[in-house]
Amino acid sequence: YDEEWREFLELFRQNAAHGFPFEDDVFQKADRLIAKNILTFLEFHRSKSNAFFHDCDREEPEGMVCLYGMLSALFVHHLYLLRNIQLDDSTADEKEVFDLSTNLARLMIINKNNCLDFFDSSNWPLTLSQLVATLRPPTVDDETLLLDPLPEHRPAAWQVPRFAEAAAAVAANAPSSKRHII
């Protein structure tokens, strides 16, 4: 898409090769790309454009923004800001940004218009399962759902049917097969 995305891809691939250690320059690149491309990305997303599906096969993509790159940048954003929050080293603004960017990434993952089937075979060093596992909410409580909790599901004990007893019960309750002729 452009040199900035290519630089981020290369930096992120190097970071992934070492097990995704915390590196501020990876976060800074991701943060800059998100800030620079968020409006374009939202326009692309609202357009329901099919350009992305064709860009996967093009030498030079024609689309507006790199979907997999944006998801990768949001993944980095999520991990970095979560780390700061867990270390009590974040501001209220960072917590708000964390919530907004994480929720956007979650929405992108569940939105049916996104073509995430090929994420695992792309050049980005993530898999769809890594994204889902990382961005999954840690817990979902009753207040988060705003629903009445369902009762605990308890499966019924399965029993092998007793065919002889069942046949006898059916026969006993069946109407007589003999007709009474008057």
Side-chain angles (χ1 to χ4, degrees):
Y1 283 84
D2 69 20
E3 195 56 36
E4 274 188 292
W5 282 111
R6 286 185 187 95
E7 287 174 11
F8 175 63
L9 171 61
E10 186 55 37
L11 187 63
F12 191 41
R13 288 168 87 183
Q14 291 170 10
N15 179 266
H18 293 98
F20 300 107
F22 172 78
E23 293 177 355
D24 193 57
D25 55 333
V26 176
F27 170 77
Q28 294 301 328
K29 280 230 185 267
D31 189 56
R32 175 161 167 59
L33 285 166
I34 291 169
K36 181 179 176 184
N37 292 285
I38 191 68
L39 294 178
T40 305
F41 176 76
L42 292 174
E43 181 184 330
F44 158 75
H45 203 264
R46 275 192 298 260
S47 74
K48 308 269 189 237
S49 170
N50 287 330
F52 171 77
F53 298 98
H54 301 289
D55 276 354
C56 295
D57 297 323
R58 292 186 179 127
E59 188 76 26
E60 287 296 319
E62 298 172 4
M64 299 165 62
V65 70
C66 180
L67 173 63
Y68 293 173
M70 192 63 133
L71 265 173
S72 296
L74 287 166
F75 172 87
V76 169
H77 217 238
H78 171 84
L79 288 179
Y80 179 90
L81 293 173
L82 179 63
R83 176 184 173 270
N84 285 352
I85 290 168
Q86 289 172 338
L87 294 174
D88 289 329
D89 190 27
S90 63
T91 65
D93 288 342
E94 284 180 323
K95 288 177 183 175
E96 182 179 4
V97 169
F98 170 80
D99 288 340
L100 292 171
S101 66
T102 298
N103 287 335
L104 175 61
R106 288 174 180 157
L107 181 63
M108 289 170 58
I109 288 174
I110 64 170
N111 188 305
K112 67 179 178 153
N113 194 44
N114 291 331
C115 178
L116 300 179
D117 301 347
F118 304 107
F119 199 97
D120 294 14
S121 60
S122 74
N123 289 327
W124 293 94
L126 295 172
T127 64
L128 184 55
S129 62
Q130 283 175 306
L131 281 169
V132 170
T134 301
L135 295 167
R136 182 177 70 56
T139 60
V140 178
D141 58 13
D142 298 339
E143 290 177 25
T144 303
L145 288 176
L146 300 175
L147 297 171
D148 292 330
L150 295 174
E152 182 181 339
H153 177 69
R154 294 186 185 163
W158 189 79
Q159 296 177 354
V160 177
R162 299 183 193 147
F163 293 107
E165 290 175 14
V170 169
N173 292 320
S176 174
S177 60
K178 297 180 183 178
R179 293 184 181 209
H180 298 283
I181 302 177
I182 305 182

